[in-house]
Amino acid sequence: MIINSIEAVNIGKKYQDFTLENVSFTLPQGCIMGFIGQNGAGKTTVIKRLLGLTSGQGQVILLGKENGGQDPEIKQQIGVLMDGSFFSELLRPRDINSVLKHLYRRWDSNLYRQYLEQFEIPQNKLLSQLSKGMKAKVRLAAAMSSRPRLLILDEPASGLDPVARNQLNDIFQQFIQDEKNSIFLSTHITADLEKIADYVAFLHQGRLVFSEEKDFLLEQYGLAKGEPAQLDALGDWVISRKDGRYSAQALVKDREEAARLCPGLAIDRPSLDDIMVFFAKGER
């Protein structure tokens, strides 16, 4: 019985000018994990390690199989969307169905056509004639139409407007209704993750800062605002802070405890953006 869709243990990769170092996280079956971080943090390198597209240290288990990204049977159960198109611009959306139905045993042509209709994609236009957002929808439809158990997605909402992103989020929620299905979702749009993610992992400069339940992050952490002297009283409860001339802000690790220490201090619920910015840019 498989409990976790992804287990990454101390995975890493060394380049001449960048090192991915000892990244570990677990994605339980039936859940969505949001994977966040600045450009250049190493998110794409992590995805390539998961899929076996690059070598490196550590252990990767996908759908219960070590190095599952290189196992033909496991690869049939994984849907992948990497940033940038991997289909010829001379193909039409309907042509993709003709190609992929011979590559995936569980490929569902009817489901693929349903996604194209749902996304309002013209099936007879060349991909070169479609907008960036429409191409992203075609790639997502292709990734999901093999009926995978695990989706690994790199910026799937790139180029999509808010209405299309909301539609996408609904599809992701439907996908995990089958509790055997999971999604690993790398994105810069943290507002979407606040709606749909169960877990969030944050990568900064090649190191994993945290991998936590989303609700824990948003309910436990706090964004404190006040005079610098007030924030000084919070001591070790401050994760990081940004000081101005007359006021300061700090990310605190326990909102209730910070409120107890400084009853008059304004302490708000942070967004994922707040958490990421303070970990990346605030002063420790």
Side-chain angles (χ1 to χ4, degrees), residues 239-242 276-284:
I239 294 172
S240 68
R241 61 187 280 174
K242 295 191 290 185
M276 186 169 75
V277 166
F278 270 88
F279 268 107
K281 298 293 187 182
E283 297 179 2
R284 298 297 192 273

PDB file of all heavy atoms in Angstrom, residues 239-242 276-284:
ATOM      1  N   ILE A 239      11.133  35.615  13.394  1.00  0.00           N
ATOM      2  CA  ILE A 239      11.867  34.845  12.386  1.00  0.00           C
ATOM      3  C   ILE A 239      12.751  35.783  11.577  1.00  0.00           C
ATOM      4  O   ILE A 239      13.929  35.529  11.369  1.00  0.00           O
ATOM      5  CB  ILE A 239      10.881  34.092  11.470  1.00  0.00           C
ATOM      6  CG1 ILE A 239      10.126  33.032  12.267  1.00  0.00           C
ATOM      7  CG2 ILE A 239      11.624  33.440  10.295  1.00  0.00           C
ATOM      8  CD1 ILE A 239       9.001  32.380  11.502  1.00  0.00           C
ATOM      9  N   SER A 240      12.179  36.867  11.101  1.00  0.00           N
ATOM     10  CA  SER A 240      12.929  37.905  10.404  1.00  0.00           C
ATOM     11  C   SER A 240      12.114  39.191  10.447  1.00  0.00           C
ATOM     12  O   SER A 240      10.903  39.163  10.703  1.00  0.00           O
ATOM     13  CB  SER A 240      13.238  37.499   8.959  1.00  0.00           C
ATOM     14  OG  SER A 240      12.059  37.449   8.188  1.00  0.00           O
ATOM     15  N   ARG A 241      12.776  40.324  10.200  1.00  0.00           N
ATOM     16  CA  ARG A 241      12.100  41.612  10.305  1.00  0.00           C
ATOM     17  C   ARG A 241      12.654  42.593   9.287  1.00  0.00           C
ATOM     18  O   ARG A 241      13.754  42.415   8.755  1.00  0.00           O
ATOM     19  CB  ARG A 241      12.221  42.187  11.713  1.00  0.00           C
ATOM     20  CG  ARG A 241      13.639  42.442  12.159  1.00  0.00           C
ATOM     21  CD  ARG A 241      13.698  42.842  13.628  1.00  0.00           C
ATOM     22  NE  ARG A 241      13.361  44.247  13.850  1.00  0.00           N
ATOM     23  CZ  ARG A 241      13.231  44.797  15.052  1.00  0.00           C
ATOM     24  NH1 ARG A 241      13.392  44.051  16.153  1.00  0.00           N
ATOM     25  NH2 ARG A 241      12.931  46.075  15.183  1.00  0.00           N
ATOM     26  N   LYS A 242      11.872  43.627   9.020  1.00  0.00           N
ATOM     27  CA  LYS A 242      12.283  44.728   8.152  1.00  0.00           C
ATOM     28  C   LYS A 242      11.991  46.026   8.894  1.00  0.00           C
ATOM     29  O   LYS A 242      10.837  46.293   9.246  1.00  0.00           O
ATOM     30  CB  LYS A 242      11.535  44.673   6.821  1.00  0.00           C
ATOM     31  CG  LYS A 242      11.871  43.454   5.979  1.00  0.00           C
ATOM     32  CD  LYS A 242      11.322  43.552   4.564  1.00  0.00           C
ATOM     33  CE  LYS A 242       9.813  43.428   4.546  1.00  0.00           C
ATOM     34  NZ  LYS A 242       9.297  43.412   3.146  1.00  0.00           N
ATOM     35  N   MET A 276       7.146  34.076   2.405  1.00  0.00           N
ATOM     36  CA  MET A 276       8.267  33.870   1.502  1.00  0.00           C
ATOM     37  C   MET A 276       9.185  35.088   1.485  1.00  0.00           C
ATOM     38  O   MET A 276      10.414  34.955   1.552  1.00  0.00           O
ATOM     39  CB  MET A 276       7.748  33.577   0.090  1.00  0.00           C
ATOM     40  CG  MET A 276       8.849  33.202  -0.895  1.00  0.00           C
ATOM     41  SD  MET A 276       8.222  32.560  -2.469  1.00  0.00           S
ATOM     42  CE  MET A 276       7.660  34.071  -3.226  1.00  0.00           C
ATOM     43  N   VAL A 277       8.615  36.296   1.414  1.00  0.00           N
ATOM     44  CA  VAL A 277       9.419  37.504   1.342  1.00  0.00           C
ATOM     45  C   VAL A 277      10.232  37.699   2.614  1.00  0.00           C
ATOM     46  O   VAL A 277      11.428  38.052   2.568  1.00  0.00           O
ATOM     47  CB  VAL A 277       8.521  38.732   1.076  1.00  0.00           C
ATOM     48  CG1 VAL A 277       9.283  40.028   1.329  1.00  0.00           C
ATOM     49  CG2 VAL A 277       7.985  38.701  -0.354  1.00  0.00           C
ATOM     50  N   PHE A 278       9.629  37.456   3.780  1.00  0.00           N
ATOM     51  CA  PHE A 278      10.358  37.674   5.031  1.00  0.00           C
ATOM     52  C   PHE A 278      11.468  36.652   5.217  1.00  0.00           C
ATOM     53  O   PHE A 278      12.544  36.974   5.717  1.00  0.00           O
ATOM     54  CB  PHE A 278       9.408  37.673   6.233  1.00  0.00           C
ATOM     55  CG  PHE A 278       8.869  39.035   6.544  1.00  0.00           C
ATOM     56  CD1 PHE A 278       7.717  39.495   5.922  1.00  0.00           C
ATOM     57  CD2 PHE A 278       9.524  39.874   7.421  1.00  0.00           C
ATOM     58  CE1 PHE A 278       7.220  40.755   6.201  1.00  0.00           C
ATOM     59  CE2 PHE A 278       9.041  41.133   7.698  1.00  0.00           C
ATOM     60  CZ  PHE A 278       7.881  41.586   7.096  1.00  0.00           C
ATOM     61  N   PHE A 279      11.219  35.413   4.845  1.00  0.00           N
ATOM     62  CA  PHE A 279      12.285  34.412   4.934  1.00  0.00           C
ATOM     63  C   PHE A 279      13.419  34.758   3.965  1.00  0.00           C
ATOM     64  O   PHE A 279      14.609  34.565   4.284  1.00  0.00           O
ATOM     65  CB  PHE A 279      11.756  33.016   4.623  1.00  0.00           C
ATOM     66  CG  PHE A 279      11.314  32.248   5.820  1.00  0.00           C
ATOM     67  CD1 PHE A 279       9.969  32.029   6.076  1.00  0.00           C
ATOM     68  CD2 PHE A 279      12.246  31.720   6.719  1.00  0.00           C
ATOM     69  CE1 PHE A 279       9.561  31.301   7.195  1.00  0.00           C
ATOM     70  CE2 PHE A 279      11.845  30.994   7.828  1.00  0.00           C
ATOM     71  CZ  PHE A 279      10.505  30.789   8.072  1.00  0.00           C
ATOM     72  N   ALA A 280      13.083  35.279   2.792  1.00  0.00           N
ATOM     73  CA  ALA A 280      14.097  35.524   1.770  1.00  0.00           C
ATOM     74  C   ALA A 280      14.794  36.865   1.944  1.00  0.00           C
ATOM     75  O   ALA A 280      15.999  36.965   1.709  1.00  0.00           O
ATOM     76  CB  ALA A 280      13.444  35.469   0.373  1.00  0.00           C
ATOM     77  N   LYS A 281      14.036  37.891   2.374  1.00  0.00           N
ATOM     78  CA  LYS A 281      14.571  39.257   2.357  1.00  0.00           C
ATOM     79  C   LYS A 281      14.723  39.907   3.730  1.00  0.00           C
ATOM     80  O   LYS A 281      15.439  40.896   3.874  1.00  0.00           O
ATOM     81  CB  LYS A 281      13.671  40.147   1.503  1.00  0.00           C
ATOM     82  CG  LYS A 281      13.577  39.720   0.038  1.00  0.00           C
ATOM     83  CD  LYS A 281      14.895  39.896  -0.683  1.00  0.00           C
ATOM     84  CE  LYS A 281      14.750  39.632  -2.169  1.00  0.00           C
ATOM     85  NZ  LYS A 281      16.023  39.758  -2.901  1.00  0.00           N
ATOM     86  N   GLY A 282      14.015  39.400   4.724  1.00  0.00           N
ATOM     87  CA  GLY A 282      14.083  40.041   6.033  1.00  0.00           C
ATOM     88  C   GLY A 282      15.421  39.811   6.721  1.00  0.00           C
ATOM     89  O   GLY A 282      16.183  38.911   6.373  1.00  0.00           O
ATOM     90  N   GLU A 283      15.689  40.627   7.736  1.00  0.00           N
ATOM     91  CA  GLU A 283      16.907  40.456   8.539  1.00  0.00           C
ATOM     92  C   GLU A 283      16.618  39.486   9.673  1.00  0.00           C
ATOM     93  O   GLU A 283      15.635  39.633  10.388  1.00  0.00           O
ATOM     94  CB  GLU A 283      17.352  41.799   9.097  1.00  0.00           C
ATOM     95  CG  GLU A 283      17.727  42.811   8.025  1.00  0.00           C
ATOM     96  CD  GLU A 283      18.149  44.141   8.624  1.00  0.00           C
ATOM     97  OE1 GLU A 283      18.177  44.245   9.866  1.00  0.00           O
ATOM     98  OE2 GLU A 283      18.452  45.063   7.856  1.00  0.00           O
ATOM     99  N   ARG A 284      17.498  38.489   9.819  1.00  0.00           N
ATOM    100  CA  ARG A 284      17.299  37.501  10.867  1.00  0.00           C
ATOM    101  C   ARG A 284      17.581  38.109  12.239  1.00  0.00           C
ATOM    102  O   ARG A 284      18.526  38.857  12.387  1.00  0.00           O
ATOM    103  CB  ARG A 284      18.238  36.301  10.664  1.00  0.00           C
ATOM    104  CG  ARG A 284      17.996  35.542   9.371  1.00  0.00           C
ATOM    105  CD  ARG A 284      16.587  34.911   9.332  1.00  0.00           C
ATOM    106  NE  ARG A 284      16.464  33.971   8.229  1.00  0.00           N
ATOM    107  CZ  ARG A 284      16.102  34.315   7.004  1.00  0.00           C
ATOM    108  NH1 ARG A 284      15.859  35.553   6.703  1.00  0.00           N
ATOM    109  NH2 ARG A 284      15.993  33.384   6.069  1.00  0.00           N
TER     110      ARG A 284
END
